[in-house]
Amino acid sequence: MPPVDSIPPGPDTVRILLTTDNHVGYLDSDPIRGNDSWITFQEITRLAKTHDVDMMVQGGDLFHVSRPSKKALYHVIQALRLNCLGDRPCELELLSDPSLALRASETVNYEDPNLNVAVPMFAISGNHDDATGEGLLSPLDVMAATGLVNYFGQVPLQDKLQATPLVFQKGSSKLALYGINNVRDERLQRIMRSGNMTFQRPANNSDFFNLLCIHQNHHRRSMTSYVPEDFLPLFLDFVFWGHEHECIPFPQYNPTTGFDTLQAGSSVATSLSEGETAKKFVFILDIKGTDYAITPIPLQTVRPFVMEDVSLKDEGFMEGPASKSDIADFLFEKVNELIAEAKNLYKAAGGTDEDILPLIRLRVDHTGDYEIENARRFSNKFVGKVANVNDIIHYFTKKVPERQAGSTKVVDLKLQLEASQKVTIQQLLKEHLGESSLHLVPEDGMFDVTRKFIEQDDKQVFLDFVKQTIENATSSLLDVDLKEDELQLDDGDNVKKSFRELLTKLKIDSKKEDSDTLPPLKELPLRTSTKVQVKKTPESTPAPTSRGRSQARGASTKSKAVVVSEDDGESDPEILSDSEDDIVDSDLEDEANNYVTASSRPTRAKTPAKKASVKKTSKPAAPKKQPRVLKAPAKKPSTRKAASSDNHLLDDLLSLG
C-alpha cells in the first residue's frame, strides 16, 4: 500500500519515530571517533521529543556489543531520561496483554505508576546486542529493568515461532506492533519454509495497521543467509527492516506481498564501505486508520564520510619507478579534494561543528608495474585533518584470469574483484578446518562463535561454547549403556579396550557423585511428559541397584537436553548468539546447570584409591564388577588405571576415526 503525501497530527494520528542500528559504544575508546555513536543517539531522542511522537521504535543493535561499556550505558540512559521522561501524557491505549510480547517486564513502561514516561521506546535486539553469557541476558534486559525501554519481540523456540503483537489504539486508529529479535538467517528461513511461523492477529484485523520490526539480512548473500520478503505474512502493511546499514530514505513496495518495506540504515558508520556513505536519516511514521505517511529527517551530528575509487592506469600514469613521486602527489591532492567535499556535505546537511574531522577512504587500483608509497606513511600526512588516519588509502590490484585454450569468454574484472572481497569468515574456517578432523567440536558451532566474536568483540563466547561442548560430549558418553559382553576384545585391540575402560570410569565417577552430591530428581522441573521419581535411600538401606542408577542418570541427561540446549547445533552457542538464540528462564537454567555440572564432572579428587598398586592386576574383569555393587559407602570404588595413565586413555579415545 503506497504512502499518502502527509497526515497532520491529531487525536486520531499515531506518530512513531523509527530508528535502528545506533551501535552506541562503537570505538568508544577512540580519541576522535569515540563519542560519535552516543552524540547521534542523543540527537535522535531529542528529535522524538521535538516532533511530539507517541513512541519510538528501535530496530535492533542499540548497542554495539552484548556487554556494553559503562560509558555506553551511561549515555543511553542519560539520553532516554532527558528526552523520554516527563509530564506529557502518552495517549496510546494498550489493548492486548503486554506480557505475551514483552521480553523482560509484565507491562509497558508508560503504564508503570512509578515512572513518568512521555515518549515510550520499543526495541528489539539485533545480532550485536542479543542475549549471551550466564543467564542469557541482553543489554536490553538491563534497559528494560530501568523502565526506560520496552524490550519486545519473539525468538524461535524449538524451531517454532509464534509472533504476538502489542496492540494499541489512539482515537480511531489501531496499531498492531510485531517484533522478531535477531536469530540466524539460516534457522529463521528454515522455520519459515517448514510452515512453523505463525502470527497472532487481533479480532477485526482489517481495522488495524500491522507493523513488523525485524533485524535480519535483507539482501541475498547466499541461498539461506537472508530472509526473503515473500516469506513474511501477506496481511502486514509495513515492515521496518534493521541490520542493513545503507539508508534508503523511501519505502519500497513489494507487489508480491502487498506491503511496503523501509530500510532505515544505521546512524553511525561502523565500516568504511560504500553503503555507509549514504546520508543518514531517521523517519517519522504517521498512521491514521490504514493510511500512513513517512517523513525522513536528516541527522546533523553524523560524521561526514566520502569514498572514491581511482585507477592509476586510467589516470594515464606510466608504469615503472619513474612515476612514483607523481603518483604520490596525485593521491595527496585527491585526498585533500575529498576532505573539502566532505566538509561541504556536512555543512549542507546542517552540521554546526566547524572542527569536525571527516572519514575519507580512497581506493587505488594499481594494477600493473607501478611503484607506490607505503599506505601508513602516506596516511601520516593527514594527521589532524582526517578522523581515520590509519586507513585512509587502500591499494588493490585486479587479477587477470588465465585464458583457457579455445576459450573466448570475456571476464568482467570488476565483478571478479567484488567477488574476491566478499570472502566470509565461514569460508576461511571451512578451508582451514577442512584439513583437520574434528570429533568433539561441531564445525557449525565454530562458525557461529567466531562470527559472534568478530561482531561483538566478546571473548566469553568462546569459553561458553567450549564449556557447553564438553558438557554435551560428557552427557553423551554417560548415556551409553555399554555392557562387558558387547565388546569382544582381540589381542592387541587397544583402541576398543581403552574406549571401554574410559566409559566404565566415567560411569563409576558419575555413580559415586550421584550418591554423594546430587539432589533428588523430583526437585528439578522437567519439560517432558515423563515423570521420574527417585526416593531418598536411608543410610541403613542397601544402595540402589545398577539398573536403578542407570535410569536415574538417563532421566537427568534428558532434562538437561530439554532445559539447557533446546536448539543444539542449530542455534548460536551463546550465542544462540548470532549460541545462540533461545531465551531460557533464569531460575530453570541455574538449577539445570548446577545439576548437570555436578553429574558430569569426574570426581578425581574424591577417589584417593587411584594408586599404581591396582595397575599390576592381571584380571581386568574383577575391578569392573566391583563399582557396580557399591555395598557400603565406606568402600571406595577402585580403578583399573593409575592416575598417570588417564592421559593415555583420552589419547586413545581421540584417536578413534
Side-chain angles (χ1 to χ4, degrees):
M1 180 178 62
V4 298
D5 293 336
S6 64
I7 296 178
D12 298 327
T13 302
V14 179
R15 170 162 282 199
I16 305 173
L17 186 142
L18 302 176
T19 181
T20 183
D21 292 88
N22 307 113
H23 288 275
V24 178
Y26 174 69
L27 293 181
D28 58 358
S29 60
D30 188 278
I32 299 177
R33 305 168 62 185
N35 298 333
D36 289 0
S37 58
W38 65 261
I39 288 177
T40 304
F41 183 73
Q42 284 189 343
E43 179 191 3
I44 293 172
T45 55
R46 284 196 300 269
L47 289 173
K49 182 178 181 180
T50 303
H51 289 270
D52 196 26
V53 301
D54 295 305
M55 69 164 68
M56 292 176 58
V57 173
Q58 204 278 339
D61 285 352
L62 173 61
F63 294 96
H64 184 64
V65 293
S66 59
R67 291 179 172 85
S69 63
K70 292 183 288 185
K71 177 182 176 182
L73 286 171
Y74 167 79
H75 286 294
V76 170
I77 293 174
Q78 184 188 49
L80 294 176
R81 182 180 62 84
L82 293 177
N83 299 298
C84 295
L85 298 183
D87 295 332
R88 170 189 175 276
C90 183
E91 300 179 5
L92 294 175
E93 179 185 0
L94 184 64
L95 303 180
S96 62
D97 184 2
S99 62
L100 300 177
L102 297 178
R103 304 292 304 169
S105 58
E106 296 296 329
T107 185
V108 291
N109 59 353
Y110 66 87
E111 290 189 351
D112 191 333
N114 300 315
L115 298 174
N116 225 10
V117 178
V119 181
M121 177 176 175
F122 294 85
I124 64 173
S125 61
N127 57 306
H128 282 261
D129 52 12
D130 60 352
T132 59
E134 185 177 358
L136 290 176
L137 292 176
S138 166
L140 294 179
D141 287 304
V142 179
M143 298 302 301
T146 65
L148 298 174
V149 172
N150 298 290
Y151 179 24
F152 77 109
Q154 276 72 29
V155 294
L157 183 63
Q158 296 179 353
D159 284 345
K160 292 184 179 180
L161 188 147
Q162 183 176 7
T164 303
L166 290 165
V167 182
F168 304 95
Q169 182 173 359
K170 181 182 178 182
S172 60
S173 299
K174 299 178 182 180
L175 170 67
L177 178 61
Y178 297 85
I180 300 178
N181 291 317
N182 176 264
V183 294
R184 288 178 56 199
D185 295 290
E186 295 81 1
R187 183 186 179 196
L188 185 57
Q189 189 179 128
R190 184 179 65 251
I191 293 174
M192 292 177 173
R193 287 183 181 274
S194 60
N196 291 328
M197 183 180 69
T198 58
F199 284 72
Q200 291 186 352
R201 302 174 63 180
N204 299 325
N205 185 258
S206 59
D207 299 334
F208 284 82
F209 187 87
N210 300 285
L211 169 62
L212 171 64
C213 188
I214 189 172
H215 190 99
Q216 304 290 151
N217 282 333
H218 193 195
H219 303 292
R220 175 177 174 178
R221 272 81 173 179
S222 66
M223 289 296 295
T224 58
S225 62
Y226 79 114
V227 176
E229 292 185 4
D230 299 349
F231 286 6
L232 298 176
L234 302 181
F235 72 88
L236 295 174
D237 299 303
F238 193 88
V239 177
F240 178 45
W241 210 292
H243 186 64
E244 301 288 353
H245 282 206
E246 181 181 1
C247 179
I248 302 177
F250 49 85
Q252 295 177 312
Y253 175 71
N254 189 327
T256 303
T257 59
F259 56 69
D260 294 341
T261 301
L262 176 66
Q263 182 178 304
S266 64
S267 61
V268 62
T270 60
S271 64
L272 300 179
S273 61
E274 186 175 358
E276 296 281 12
T277 60
K279 196 173 182 179
K280 306 292 185 182
F281 292 88
V282 293
F283 298 85
I284 300 296
L285 177 66
D286 291 310
I287 302 171
K288 186 174 183 180
T290 57
D291 296 329
Y292 81 93
I294 193 77
T295 305
I297 300 178
L299 296 174
Q300 300 179 356
T301 58
V302 178
R303 188 178 297 275
F305 175 31
V306 176
M307 179 177 177
E308 186 173 339
D309 291 3
V310 295
S311 173
L312 298 183
K313 182 173 293 186
D314 295 341
E315 295 294 334
F317 290 100
M318 297 181 60
E319 299 184 11
S323 60
K324 180 177 180 180
S325 59
D326 295 336
I327 292 175
D329 294 340
F330 167 75
L331 297 180
F332 182 81
E333 294 297 330
K334 178 62 68 174
V335 171
N336 284 327
E337 292 176 4
L338 295 179
I339 293 175
E341 179 184 352
K343 290 187 175 181
N344 292 333
L345 292 175
Y346 177 73
K347 293 179 181 179
T352 58
D353 187 0
E354 297 181 356
D355 298 329
I356 192 169
L357 303 181
L359 297 172
I360 302 297
R361 170 53 68 93
L362 180 62
R363 301 175 70 250
V364 180
D365 177 13
H366 63 101
T367 303
D369 188 16
Y370 292 101
E371 288 193 10
I372 52 179
E373 187 177 3
N374 179 270
R376 180 59 62 88
R377 187 181 298 111
F378 177 85
S379 299
N380 288 337
K381 300 177 183 179
F382 300 95
V383 174
K385 299 180 180 180
V386 176
N388 57 316
V389 177
N390 295 327
D391 50 6
I392 297 176
I393 197 166
H394 173 65
Y395 295 115
F396 68 93
T397 60
K398 297 178 180 179
K399 295 182 180 180
V400 180
E402 298 181 359
R403 175 174 295 181
Q404 299 179 357
S407 175
T408 59
K409 183 178 181 180
V410 179
V411 179
D412 192 337
L413 296 180
K414 184 176 181 181
L415 294 178
Q416 185 187 34
L417 173 65
E418 294 177 353
S420 64
Q421 292 177 342
K422 294 181 180 179
V423 179
T424 63
I425 187 62
Q426 286 83 356
Q427 296 174 351
L428 295 177
L429 285 178
K430 284 182 179 180
E431 181 179 354
H432 177 72
L433 297 179
E435 301 175 357
S436 60
S437 179
L438 300 180
H439 296 285
L440 298 180
V441 181
E443 293 185 8
D444 292 340
M446 286 294 297
F447 299 154
D448 296 333
V449 170
T450 306
R451 177 175 58 84
K452 278 293 180 181
F453 170 73
I454 294 174
E455 292 177 349
Q456 302 183 2
D457 192 19
D458 186 2
K459 299 178 181 179
Q460 185 65 29
V461 297
F462 284 106
L463 299 178
D464 296 340
F465 174 68
V466 172
K467 179 181 177 182
Q468 186 66 35
T469 301
I470 293 175
E471 291 180 355
N472 292 339
T474 306
S475 176
S476 299
L477 287 175
L478 292 175
D479 197 36
V480 176
D481 190 9
L482 187 63
K483 298 180 181 180
E484 296 180 11
D485 55 354
E486 291 181 357
L487 287 179
Q488 299 295 333
L489 296 180
D490 299 330
D491 293 338
D493 198 355
N494 294 326
V495 176
K496 290 185 179 180
K497 180 179 178 181
S498 300
F499 182 72
R500 187 183 65 172
E501 289 177 350
L502 180 60
L503 286 176
T504 307
K505 178 181 180 300
L506 290 174
K507 288 186 178 182
I508 291 172
D509 294 339
S510 177
K511 289 174 185 178
K512 183 179 183 303
E513 191 158 350
D514 286 345
S515 61
D516 293 341
T517 61
L518 290 184
L521 290 181
K522 62 183 180 181
E523 297 180 2
L524 180 65
L526 302 179
R527 296 188 180 181
T528 60
S529 59
T530 304
K531 296 183 179 180
V532 180
Q533 295 183 354
V534 178
K535 297 182 179 180
K536 293 184 177 180
T537 305
E539 297 181 357
S540 59
T541 60
T545 62
S546 175
R547 181 179 180 183
R549 285 191 302 273
S550 177
Q551 293 175 350
R553 186 171 61 255
S556 63
T557 304
K558 291 180 180 178
S559 64
K560 184 253 179 182
V562 173
V563 177
V564 179
S565 179
E566 295 181 350
D567 189 48
D568 200 10
E570 292 296 333
S571 64
D572 290 338
E574 313 183 36
I575 29 276
L576 199 316
S577 343
D578 242 147
S579 104
E580 218 170 299
D581 305 315
D582 295 338
I583 306 301
V584 182
D585 186 82
S586 58
D587 296 333
L588 294 180
E589 185 193 17
D590 294 339
E591 189 172 0
N593 286 338
N594 295 334
Y595 182 81
V596 174
T597 303
S599 64
S600 61
R601 183 173 56 248
T603 57
R604 295 184 179 180
K606 296 184 180 182
T607 57
K610 288 185 178 181
K611 299 296 182 180
S613 59
V614 186
K615 187 177 180 180
K616 299 180 180 180
T617 302
S618 60
K619 298 179 180 180
K624 295 175 184 176
K625 296 180 180 180
Q626 183 177 354
R628 295 179 180 272
V629 180
L630 294 178
K631 294 182 179 180
K635 291 184 178 181
K636 303 290 184 177
S638 61
T639 59
R640 294 178 304 280
K641 286 287 185 180
S644 61
S645 64
D646 291 342
N647 293 332
H648 298 287
L649 296 178
L650 293 175
D651 293 340
D652 293 337
L653 175 63
L654 295 178
S655 65
L656 292 175

